[in-house]
mmCIF file of all heavy atoms in Angstrom:
data_model
loop_
_atom_site.group_PDB
_atom_site.id
_atom_site.type_symbol
_atom_site.label_atom_id
_atom_site.label_comp_id
_atom_site.label_asym_id
_atom_site.label_seq_id
_atom_site.Cartn_x
_atom_site.Cartn_y
_atom_site.Cartn_z
ATOM 1 N N ALA A 190 50.586 -59.441 20.755
ATOM 2 C CA ALA A 190 51.868 -58.801 21.016
ATOM 3 C C ALA A 190 52.521 -58.329 19.722
ATOM 4 O O ALA A 190 53.677 -57.943 19.704
ATOM 5 C CB ALA A 190 52.799 -59.784 21.736
ATOM 6 N N SER A 191 51.764 -58.344 18.639
ATOM 7 C CA SER A 191 52.327 -58.135 17.311
ATOM 8 C C SER A 191 52.048 -56.740 16.754
ATOM 9 O O SER A 191 50.887 -56.360 16.598
ATOM 10 C CB SER A 191 51.738 -59.138 16.339
ATOM 11 O OG SER A 191 51.935 -60.436 16.821
ATOM 12 N N PRO A 192 53.110 -56.012 16.407
ATOM 13 C CA PRO A 192 52.885 -54.757 15.695
ATOM 14 C C PRO A 192 52.454 -55.044 14.255
ATOM 15 O O PRO A 192 52.742 -56.106 13.712
ATOM 16 C CB PRO A 192 54.237 -54.078 15.742
ATOM 17 C CG PRO A 192 55.215 -55.190 15.872
ATOM 18 C CD PRO A 192 54.515 -56.272 16.648
ATOM 19 N N TYR A 193 51.749 -54.120 13.671
ATOM 20 C CA TYR A 193 51.334 -54.212 12.273
ATOM 21 C C TYR A 193 52.508 -53.807 11.405
ATOM 22 O O TYR A 193 53.048 -52.699 11.546
ATOM 23 C CB TYR A 193 50.142 -53.281 12.053
ATOM 24 C CG TYR A 193 49.485 -53.358 10.715
ATOM 25 C CD1 TYR A 193 48.754 -54.474 10.375
ATOM 26 C CD2 TYR A 193 49.583 -52.306 9.840
ATOM 27 C CE1 TYR A 193 48.127 -54.547 9.126
ATOM 28 C CE2 TYR A 193 48.952 -52.360 8.595
ATOM 29 C CZ TYR A 193 48.222 -53.484 8.234
ATOM 30 O OH TYR A 193 47.609 -53.557 7.029
ATOM 31 N N SER A 194 52.944 -54.663 10.527
ATOM 32 C CA SER A 194 54.217 -54.453 9.799
ATOM 33 C C SER A 194 54.218 -53.231 8.876
ATOM 34 O O SER A 194 55.278 -52.700 8.579
ATOM 35 C CB SER A 194 54.577 -55.712 9.002
ATOM 36 O OG SER A 194 53.578 -56.012 8.040
ATOM 37 N N LEU A 195 53.075 -52.778 8.443
ATOM 38 C CA LEU A 195 53.018 -51.662 7.508
ATOM 39 C C LEU A 195 52.838 -50.291 8.169
ATOM 40 O O LEU A 195 52.887 -49.270 7.486
ATOM 41 C CB LEU A 195 51.895 -51.881 6.489
ATOM 42 C CG LEU A 195 52.005 -53.140 5.630
ATOM 43 C CD1 LEU A 195 50.830 -53.246 4.697
ATOM 44 C CD2 LEU A 195 53.315 -53.144 4.856
ATOM 45 N N ASN A 196 52.592 -50.290 9.478
ATOM 46 C CA ASN A 196 52.343 -49.037 10.184
ATOM 47 C C ASN A 196 52.685 -49.227 11.652
ATOM 48 O O ASN A 196 51.979 -49.953 12.369
ATOM 49 C CB ASN A 196 50.890 -48.622 10.009
ATOM 50 C CG ASN A 196 50.569 -47.272 10.628
ATOM 51 O OD1 ASN A 196 51.175 -46.863 11.634
ATOM 52 N ND2 ASN A 196 49.605 -46.597 10.061
ATOM 53 N N ALA A 197 53.722 -48.576 12.135
ATOM 54 C CA ALA A 197 54.198 -48.763 13.508
ATOM 55 C C ALA A 197 53.176 -48.283 14.545
ATOM 56 O O ALA A 197 53.254 -48.667 15.706
ATOM 57 C CB ALA A 197 55.512 -48.023 13.731
ATOM 58 N N GLY A 198 52.205 -47.498 14.151
ATOM 59 C CA GLY A 198 51.183 -47.005 15.072
ATOM 60 C C GLY A 198 50.026 -47.977 15.261
ATOM 61 O O GLY A 198 49.132 -47.734 16.070
ATOM 62 N N LEU A 199 50.067 -49.095 14.534
ATOM 63 C CA LEU A 199 48.988 -50.089 14.625
ATOM 64 C C LEU A 199 49.516 -51.386 15.222
ATOM 65 O O LEU A 199 50.716 -51.673 15.163
ATOM 66 C CB LEU A 199 48.427 -50.384 13.246
ATOM 67 C CG LEU A 199 47.857 -49.225 12.438
ATOM 68 C CD1 LEU A 199 47.375 -49.718 11.076
ATOM 69 C CD2 LEU A 199 46.756 -48.520 13.178
ATOM 70 N N ALA A 200 48.612 -52.188 15.771
ATOM 71 C CA ALA A 200 48.934 -53.533 16.241
ATOM 72 C C ALA A 200 47.776 -54.451 15.901
ATOM 73 O O ALA A 200 46.646 -54.006 15.716
ATOM 74 C CB ALA A 200 49.190 -53.517 17.748
ATOM 75 N N TRP A 201 48.065 -55.746 15.835
ATOM 76 C CA TRP A 201 47.052 -56.758 15.539
ATOM 77 C C TRP A 201 46.191 -57.010 16.785
ATOM 78 O O TRP A 201 46.669 -56.969 17.901
ATOM 79 C CB TRP A 201 47.693 -58.072 15.122
ATOM 80 C CG TRP A 201 48.338 -58.013 13.782
ATOM 81 C CD1 TRP A 201 49.675 -57.901 13.527
ATOM 82 C CD2 TRP A 201 47.702 -58.071 12.507
ATOM 83 N NE1 TRP A 201 49.918 -57.883 12.163
ATOM 84 C CE2 TRP A 201 48.707 -57.991 11.515
ATOM 85 C CE3 TRP A 201 46.367 -58.180 12.102
ATOM 86 C CZ2 TRP A 201 48.422 -58.015 10.169
ATOM 87 C CZ3 TRP A 201 46.092 -58.206 10.751
ATOM 88 C CH2 TRP A 201 47.114 -58.130 9.794
ATOM 89 N N TYR A 202 44.932 -57.334 16.543
ATOM 90 C CA TYR A 202 44.037 -57.787 17.608
ATOM 91 C C TYR A 202 43.162 -58.900 17.074
ATOM 92 O O TYR A 202 42.985 -59.063 15.862
ATOM 93 C CB TYR A 202 43.194 -56.648 18.194
ATOM 94 C CG TYR A 202 42.117 -56.128 17.260
ATOM 95 C CD1 TYR A 202 40.842 -56.693 17.251
ATOM 96 C CD2 TYR A 202 42.362 -55.084 16.387
ATOM 97 C CE1 TYR A 202 39.843 -56.242 16.405
ATOM 98 C CE2 TYR A 202 41.371 -54.619 15.525
ATOM 99 C CZ TYR A 202 40.112 -55.186 15.545
ATOM 100 O OH TYR A 202 39.143 -54.743 14.717
ATOM 101 N N VAL A 203 42.614 -59.685 17.993
ATOM 102 C CA VAL A 203 41.667 -60.745 17.656
ATOM 103 C C VAL A 203 40.357 -60.418 18.328
ATOM 104 O O VAL A 203 40.313 -60.141 19.525
ATOM 105 C CB VAL A 203 42.180 -62.134 18.116
ATOM 106 C CG1 VAL A 203 41.137 -63.210 17.828
ATOM 107 C CG2 VAL A 203 43.495 -62.471 17.438
#
Side-chain angles (χ1 to χ4, degrees):
S191 305
Y193 186 71
S194 61
L195 300 179
N196 184 330
L199 303 178
W201 290 103
Y202 71 89
V203 176

